Amino acid sequence: MASRLNPYLSFSGDARQAMEFYQEVFGGTLNLNTFGDFGQAGTPEADKIMHGMLETPGGFTLMGADTPPGMEQTVGDNFSVSLSGDDDAELRGWWEKLSAGGTVSVPLEKQMWGDVFGMCKDRFGIPWMVNIAQPR
């Protein structure tokens, strides 16, 4: 059963690098639009990402953008991105790539509810939760 996940992530000037990293992790088609593409050519923000969308073969959608000038952005505030399912190899593969160069707060291991679960922040400061459902 496919699930669709649509978080929207804000970055401090490195949205292109982050979205390209997530494309390396998950595969899929990445579309990036800059502020310059939408009438702000010649400004310091022209090459920054106004809107990015990654659509993966697994059915996930991930959106992100650089925070526009004048708006506040705090990395890691009030959200997590959750990946869950029962494909152990696929989910462990994503966990390994996401946690590489980041910080693991909960190691990916069996939890009291019976599933394998872990929490980490990737190298861009984005918090992730991975839950691998076990046969009941």
Side-chain angles (χ1 to χ4, degrees):
M1 180 165 112
S3 296
R4 179 162 252 197
L5 178 65
N6 289 67
Y8 204 108
L9 308 175
S10 297
F11 299 94
S12 297
D14 58 356
R16 179 180 305 276
Q17 296 89 342
M19 295 301 289
E20 289 172 349
F21 167 69
Y22 299 138
Q23 184 182 30
E24 290 173 17
V25 171
F26 299 111
T29 303
L30 177 62
N31 293 303
L32 298 173
N33 301 105
T34 65
F35 286 97
D37 294 335
F38 289 95
Q40 294 186 24
T43 68
E45 293 78 34
D47 291 330
K48 300 294 183 197
I49 302 303
M50 182 176 176
H51 177 72
M53 184 167 74
L54 175 64
E55 293 181 298
T56 73
F60 297 137
T61 299
L62 184 63
M63 298 178 190
D66 287 309
T67 303
M71 291 184 69
E72 280 192 32
Q73 190 254 349
T74 304
V75 173
D77 230 2
N78 299 327
F79 74 94
S80 290
V81 181
S82 177
L83 290 169
S84 59
D86 58 5
D87 188 325
D88 189 89
E90 183 174 70
L91 288 160
R92 284 182 188 277
W94 291 339
W95 168 264
E96 292 303 321
K97 291 175 183 178
L98 289 166
S99 62
T103 305
V104 173
S105 56
V106 176
L108 187 66
E109 58 191 22
K110 191 167 186 163
Q111 301 296 322
M112 64 182 178
W113 60 89
D115 291 349
V116 173
F117 176 83
M119 293 174 55
C120 69
K121 280 191 179 180
D122 68 26
R123 65 184 182 179
F124 296 101
I126 303 301
W128 292 86
M129 299 182 300
V130 174
N131 191 87
I132 305 169
Q134 300 301 298
R136 300 281 183 235

